[in-house]
């Protein structure tokens, strides 16, 4: 299973763009990159998934360079409600093909 | 939330007692999972199921057993609870035909305290 490395925590201010980078040097050919968001006392919630290049949805963008050894989750114009823990997974969307690491705690300030 | 419920939502029990947690889904998805989450840690996979009566171990399966006799229910049993099993337990399902490669939807969690 591919291991991921993320910053432990990040701070931002409302209205700013936040980029969280995840390193996954031993990503396998069949592995996808998936990001989840978790608020206190709730289960994680799927944000975005990608395999290569760029993926964008209504919530975030995911940038994956050609070598796929890292990825960057981009949250445009964050608000206080984006304060949460963000997990980067490599492999499948969860389950036995992936490992949830400790995640990145994002604090958004007013 | 993909129709996932967990019961009970909170439970306090004593060391050595058996405990069963229930995960129920309403949409007949094939893959179901049990995770535990402890402070400062991400989620760790306990057991998973890929169909009725088809289950397998995850990363931290010691001390836990599971059963899936119906598509909609996935039960997690602690045969003899220990204080190290105090945790928040999340059930999840995979949605879509790609199984493990699809996104997961998580239940609300069960907070278990073993005294």
């Amino acid at each position: 299973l591919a291991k991921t490395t993320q910053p432990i925590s990040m701070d931002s201010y409302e209205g700013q763009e936040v980029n969280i980078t995840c390193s996954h040097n031993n990503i396998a050919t069949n592995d996808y990159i998936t990001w989840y968001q978790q608020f206190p006392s709730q289960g994680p919630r799927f944000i975005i998934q990608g395999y290569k290049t760029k993926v964008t949805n209504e919530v975030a963008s995911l940038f994956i360079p050609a070598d796929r050894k890292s990825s960057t989750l981009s949250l445009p114009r964050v608000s206080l409600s984006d304060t949460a823990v963000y997990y980067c997974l490599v492999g499948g969307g969860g389950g036995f093909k992936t490992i949830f690491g400790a995640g990145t705690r994002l604090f958004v300030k007013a | 939330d993909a129709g996932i419920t967990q019961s009970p939502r909170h439970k306090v029990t004593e060391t050595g007692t058996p405990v069963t947690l229930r995960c129920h889904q309403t949409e007949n998805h094939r893959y179901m999972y049990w995770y535990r989450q402890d402070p400062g840690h991400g989620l760790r996979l306990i057991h998973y199921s890929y169909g009725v009566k088809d289950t397998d171990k995850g990363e931290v399966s010691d001390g836990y057993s599971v059963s899936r006799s119906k598509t909609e229910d996935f039960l997690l049993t602690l045969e003899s609870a220990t204080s190290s099993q105090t945790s928040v337990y999340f059930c999840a399902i995979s949605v879509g035909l790609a199984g493990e490669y699809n996104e997961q939807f998580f239940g609300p969690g069960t907070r278990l305290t073993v005294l």
Side-chain angles (χ1 to χ4, degrees):
Chain A
L1 298 177
K3 181 180 177 181
T4 60
T5 302
Q6 306 173 231
I8 294 175
S9 65
M10 297 180 66
D11 290 344
S12 183
Y13 289 92
E14 282 189 294
Q16 290 187 334
E17 178 184 74
V18 171
N19 295 310
I20 306 175
T21 297
C22 179
S23 297
H24 29 80
N25 292 321
N26 59 340
I27 188 169
T29 302
N30 294 332
D31 287 342
Y32 283 76
I33 300 160
T34 309
W35 286 81
Y36 285 85
Q37 174 192 56
Q38 185 178 26
F39 297 113
S41 301
Q42 295 184 25
R45 184 179 71 172
F46 173 89
I47 301 175
I48 198 165
Q49 184 182 66
Y51 183 80
K52 61 181 179 181
T53 62
K54 176 182 176 182
V55 179
T56 297
N57 61 23
E58 66 277 7
V59 176
S61 294
L62 178 59
F63 298 92
I64 305 170
D67 65 5
R68 303 201 326 124
K69 293 184 182 300
S70 68
S71 59
T72 299
L73 174 72
S74 181
L75 305 173
R77 299 179 298 280
V78 295
S79 64
L80 296 176
S81 63
D82 291 316
T83 293
V85 178
Y86 293 82
Y87 295 98
C88 166
L89 278 67
V90 170
F96 62 87
K97 292 188 184 299
T98 55
I99 296 177
F100 279 84
T104 297
R105 292 186 175 276
L106 173 65
F107 295 95
V108 179
K109 306 172 186 177
Chain B
D1 62 0
I4 305 170
T5 57
Q6 293 184 230
S7 58
R9 294 292 314 280
H10 302 270
K11 186 172 182 65
V12 179
T13 191
E14 294 186 349
T15 298
T17 59
V19 176
T20 295
L21 308 182
R22 180 182 183 235
C23 177
H24 178 78
Q25 59 149 326
T26 59
E27 299 181 3
N28 294 321
H29 294 294
R30 180 181 175 189
Y31 286 82
M32 299 184 74
Y33 312 84
W34 276 107
Y35 293 89
R36 61 176 289 174
Q37 185 170 37
D38 303 297
H41 294 272
L43 280 75
R44 291 182 290 174
L45 183 66
I46 304 172
H47 281 279
Y48 63 95
S49 170
Y50 45 96
V52 173
K53 299 190 188 305
D54 292 324
T55 65
D56 208 342
K57 297 178 180 180
E59 180 187 0
V60 290
S61 59
D62 288 347
Y64 302 94
S65 63
V66 290
S67 66
R68 193 169 178 197
S69 58
K70 298 184 293 184
T71 300
E72 59 266 35
D73 288 327
F74 191 31
L75 304 180
L76 176 70
T77 298
L78 291 65
E79 301 290 347
S80 178
T82 67
S83 58
S84 64
Q85 294 175 310
T86 292
S87 188
V88 179
Y89 291 85
F90 288 102
C91 173
I93 61 171
S94 287
V95 176
L97 299 178
E100 290 278 283
Y101 286 95
N102 285 121
E103 65 184 273
Q104 292 194 337
F105 288 88
F106 287 79
T110 295
R111 184 173 297 276
L112 176 67
T113 302
V114 183
L115 302 176

